[in-house]
Amino acid sequence: MQQLIFGLANGSIYALMALSIGMVSSTTGIVNFAYASVVMMGAMVSWWLMVIYQFSYIPALFVAIAVSIVLNIVIYETCVKKLGNLLDNVGWIITLFGASIILDNIARMLFGTEPQAFPYLFGGKMVTFFGANIMLHELMMITIAVVIGVAYQTIIKKTRFGRAVRAVAFRPATSELMGIKSEKIILSCFAMAGAVAAIGGVLIAPITFASYTMTYSIGLKGFAAAVLGGFGNTKGAFIGGFLLGLIEAFISIFVPAGIKDSISFVIMIIVIIFLPGGIMSAKIFNRNWSAAEKV
Amino acid sequence: MLKVENLTIAYGKTEVVHHVSFDVKKGSVVTIAGANGAGKSTILNTIVGLHRPKEGSILYKGEDIARKAPDKLVYKGIRLVPEGRQIFPEHTVEENILLGAYVEKDAKKIRDRMDEMYDRFPRLKERRKQIGGTLSGGEQQMLAIARALMTGPDLLILDEPSLGLAPIIVKDVFKLLTEIKQTGVTIMLVEQMVDNALSISDYAYVLETGNIVFSGTKDEVKNSDDIVKAYLGNV
Ligand SMILES: Nc1ncnc2c1ncn2[C@@H]1O[C@H](COP(=O)(O)OP(=O)(O)OP(=O)(O)O)[C@@H](O)[C@H]1O
Ligand SMILES: [Mg+2]
């Protein structure tokens, strides 16, 4: 039970990170390689507020969210928008990697290289849950992730904004003809992705410790989850995240901790080879596959 | 209604439309005929703000709208039904129609217009929960037109509305355009073959490689042998 909850808790963060990647790639077709640095920045900024300025957890979280939203908007404005049409250049691969390296180094300078202990929500209170001792924080991780996931899907499916997001994802020029400002929609997606990244970073930091290396230690898991769920598929991102968390938790019972982290990449490679569209592209999920568009 | 003057449009350094001028009078139907690559879509996309002209002016109700953003022009009452219809294939029919009313904030107006569209297009009503990609080509064209009518435009622009449709469906489309015209909407359309378009048009222009080479009324077009050969199949 403990392993199960631990797996789901970590998985919920992988899911949030994959969602952050998915929000951007589903509308723009690009992969925000700098997103993991935003996750890390969210964690570091809130650690700094809590330890240096005695903020409590929740206010620190909200400031971290605000900072990450701003960071992601700056990333969009400087590394993506300036490049013009994303279909005919791949400059964003370089600019976004560059942004990631810059952010990591800023974090290292501001916050030092030592991994820092990070407080748990509710002061690390434990509860008994089906006979197992579970940290309340872990249950909160899962709850918050599920709430965000459901809220996002509802917004995307049911609201005027969500319709516009899907429209821009599919046909940005035609969306403009509807009076939708495609660029504003993309900017909002970057902003939302920043917020989600920060929440993920702040929630997982107590488990991993806060450090500028989170970009790689945690960030890459987000990519693995995104690949597992299918890039740009925000529903798949959730399934991919939870699945990855669970697989990791159970495999770590049998394999030494040192190679646990490589498991996610073995899975990622297997998925890429056999199901390049992610697990959601497997046949059993697509029985009602719709007819192609007629031109 | 619309007065285009000395319009020159380029993609990068390549100029594809050269010093074009034409006029669309309020309440009329104007057709521009032209072969593949003549620059028809380029002109239309520039009018609706998707592309910026190199030179020239586009006067709409007396105001120069060249270089205005597409959403501003939707507010002003200009709507384009793009080439190839460009419906949103993964949105439902109803969502496609709602996207057409994206700039409309008044929920009641949206409902009323939607009911109006469903009255006019019962097929779309039947299929409103179906995703757009499953519609036939003709139904998609109707959807694209319904979507554009959702803001009650004054000027409706259509890029090759007959493209890829069976002759009988094309007849339906043009019958529909006549009805729309009768509600006071000014219509401008472009076509490669103008048989059907001409029958509802008041005035026509012929565009060849970015230059207007002919302009005249429906009868003047029919009296010009060259034009008939090039742009009319069977009159
Ligand atoms: N995005 C673009 N970039 C560069 N050149 C373009 C672009 N779009 C169109 N062109 C060029 O501009 C010219 C006019 O194209 P346009 O699409 O306006 O023609 P058209 O009259 O609409 O043709 P069709 O009947 O085939 O739709 C063509 O030579 C085309 O190659
Ligand atoms: Mg064209």
Side-chain angles (χ1 to χ4, degrees):
Chain A
M1 194 65 198
Q2 228 150 345
Q3 280 302 334
L4 178 74
I5 297 289
F6 186 68
L8 283 175
N10 279 338
S12 66
I13 302 308
Y14 303 157
L16 284 183
M17 293 189 294
L19 177 64
S20 174
I21 298 170
M23 281 172 167
V24 166
S25 68
S26 62
T27 41
T28 56
I30 71 169
V31 180
N32 183 1
F33 287 115
Y35 102 95
S37 297
V38 178
V39 172
M40 177 274 295
M41 275 294 196
M44 293 312 290
V45 164
S46 56
W47 165 78
W48 189 64
L49 290 171
M50 281 192 272
V51 172
I52 312 288
Y53 293 101
Q54 266 77 55
F55 272 56
S56 54
Y57 196 99
I58 302 293
L61 171 63
F62 277 101
V63 176
I65 290 173
V67 168
S68 299
I69 288 176
V70 171
L71 275 180
N72 241 15
I73 288 176
V74 171
I75 287 171
Y76 170 72
E77 294 285 340
T78 54
C79 301
V80 181
K81 191 173 151 186
K82 289 266 182 293
L83 300 174
N85 186 352
L86 293 171
L87 295 178
D88 46 47
N89 80 58
V90 287
W92 53 267
I93 296 177
I94 306 300
T95 54
L96 290 172
F97 260 123
S100 178
I101 292 168
I102 292 168
L103 285 176
D104 290 356
N105 282 295
I106 290 175
R108 201 174 58 163
M109 282 183 336
L110 288 180
F111 310 116
T113 53
E114 277 295 303
Q116 305 287 350
F118 198 101
Y120 284 96
L121 257 176
F122 311 112
K125 196 167 177 298
M126 308 287 280
V127 290
T128 345
F129 193 74
F130 288 104
N133 263 343
I134 309 284
M135 204 177 278
L136 209 47
H137 183 93
E138 288 173 3
L139 294 180
M140 276 314 281
M141 288 163 85
I142 300 169
T143 314
I144 291 174
V146 169
V147 167
I148 290 175
V150 171
Y152 181 73
Q153 293 304 333
T154 313
I155 290 171
I156 286 302
K157 285 224 182 64
K158 305 272 188 231
T159 66
R160 170 175 177 270
F161 172 74
R163 269 199 300 278
V165 168
R166 284 179 288 136
V168 170
F170 217 91
R171 299 187 186 283
T174 310
S175 301
E176 300 258 342
L177 293 177
M178 306 298 117
I180 298 169
K181 294 196 182 88
S182 295
E183 209 154 78
K184 284 249 165 70
I185 297 285
I186 291 173
L187 189 64
S188 327
C189 288
F190 266 85
M192 288 192 303
V196 170
I199 295 169
V202 173
L203 284 176
I204 203 162
I207 294 169
T208 60
F209 285 36
S211 143
Y212 77 101
T213 56
M214 280 174 90
T215 301
Y216 292 99
S217 60
I218 297 306
L220 286 178
K221 303 282 180 60
F223 282 113
V227 168
L228 203 55
F231 254 111
N233 183 338
T234 49
K235 246 189 258 160
F238 259 75
I239 297 172
F242 279 111
L243 206 59
L244 185 64
L246 285 176
I247 294 170
E248 267 191 5
F250 284 101
I251 281 181
S252 66
I253 301 174
F254 310 107
V255 303
I259 59 169
K260 189 192 108 187
D261 279 352
S262 51
I263 302 292
S264 28
F265 301 104
V266 173
I267 295 170
M268 186 163 97
I269 291 164
I270 293 172
V271 170
I272 289 174
I273 294 171
F274 292 103
L275 279 174
I279 44 169
M280 293 295 279
S281 70
K283 276 223 178 59
I284 51 162
F285 294 113
N286 292 289
R287 263 172 295 190
N288 299 322
W289 201 75
S290 63
E293 180 187 14
K294 299 178 187 74
V295 177
Chain B
M1 171 75 61
L2 186 76
K3 199 171 170 65
V4 169
E5 271 169 354
N6 201 25
L7 190 64
T8 299
I9 312 170
Y11 291 105
K13 284 198 165 48
T14 334
E15 220 179 271
V16 295
V17 172
H18 323 281
H19 306 286
V20 160
S21 301
F22 60 89
D23 218 340
V24 181
K25 295 221 159 45
K26 190 166 188 309
S28 67
V29 176
V30 169
T31 298
I32 298 184
N36 287 117
K40 305 182 296 297
S41 300
T42 301
I43 292 176
L44 298 191
N45 289 339
T46 306
I47 294 174
V48 298
L50 286 180
H51 192 73
R52 305 226 175 308
K54 191 174 160 196
E55 238 184 276
S57 63
I58 304 169
L59 296 174
Y60 171 72
K61 295 178 179 171
E63 179 192 0
D64 192 355
I65 56 160
R67 300 171 187 84
K68 282 224 179 342
D71 62 297
K72 294 274 174 334
L73 300 174
V74 170
Y75 281 110
K76 286 182 189 298
I78 305 180
R79 290 300 296 252
L80 171 70
V81 178
E83 183 174 304
R85 309 181 257 287
Q86 309 276 329
I87 58 140
F88 297 102
E90 292 182 0
H91 288 65
T92 64
V93 168
E94 184 144 306
E95 286 182 316
N96 267 277
I97 293 176
L98 284 172
L99 277 167
Y102 183 79
V103 302
E104 184 62 71
K105 296 273 165 16
D106 184 343
K108 174 157 188 329
K109 253 192 189 158
I110 296 176
R111 272 258 60 98
D112 289 350
R113 289 233 176 83
M114 186 137 82
D115 290 342
E116 208 181 295
M117 291 309 139
Y118 283 152
D119 281 347
R120 206 196 281 263
F121 306 104
R123 301 267 272 184
L124 297 183
K125 186 173 188 180
E126 274 166 37
R127 290 164 169 67
R128 65 185 185 280
K129 296 271 173 269
Q130 219 168 295
I131 62 166
T134 60
L135 297 184
S136 76
E139 290 160 351
Q140 290 192 8
Q141 185 61 274
M142 297 301 175
L143 179 56
I145 293 173
R147 188 176 67 176
L149 292 176
M150 280 301 285
T151 44
D154 298 323
L155 175 62
L156 182 66
I157 306 178
L158 301 104
D159 195 340
E160 300 197 41
S162 68
L163 186 76
L165 301 182
I168 181 156
I169 307 291
V170 174
K171 287 261 176 343
D172 286 349
V173 171
F174 282 96
K175 193 168 141 261
L176 170 68
L177 292 181
T178 321
E179 288 165 21
I180 294 172
K181 176 195 166 159
Q182 274 152 12
T183 65
V185 179
T186 306
I187 297 178
M188 173 182 173
L189 53 100
V190 308
E191 283 285 1
Q192 295 195 20
M193 299 304 281
V194 294
D195 305 55
N196 288 290
L198 212 53
S199 66
I200 67 160
S201 297
D202 301 298
Y203 209 79
Y205 293 89
V206 174
L207 187 71
E208 273 174 14
T209 55
N211 294 292
I212 291 205
V213 296
F214 178 91
S215 69
T217 60
K218 186 182 342 189
D219 296 328
E220 286 168 334
V221 173
K222 285 182 181 158
N223 291 334
S224 162
D225 284 347
D226 294 349
I227 306 296
V228 169
K229 257 187 239 143
Y231 302 104
L232 282 162
N234 44 3
V235 167

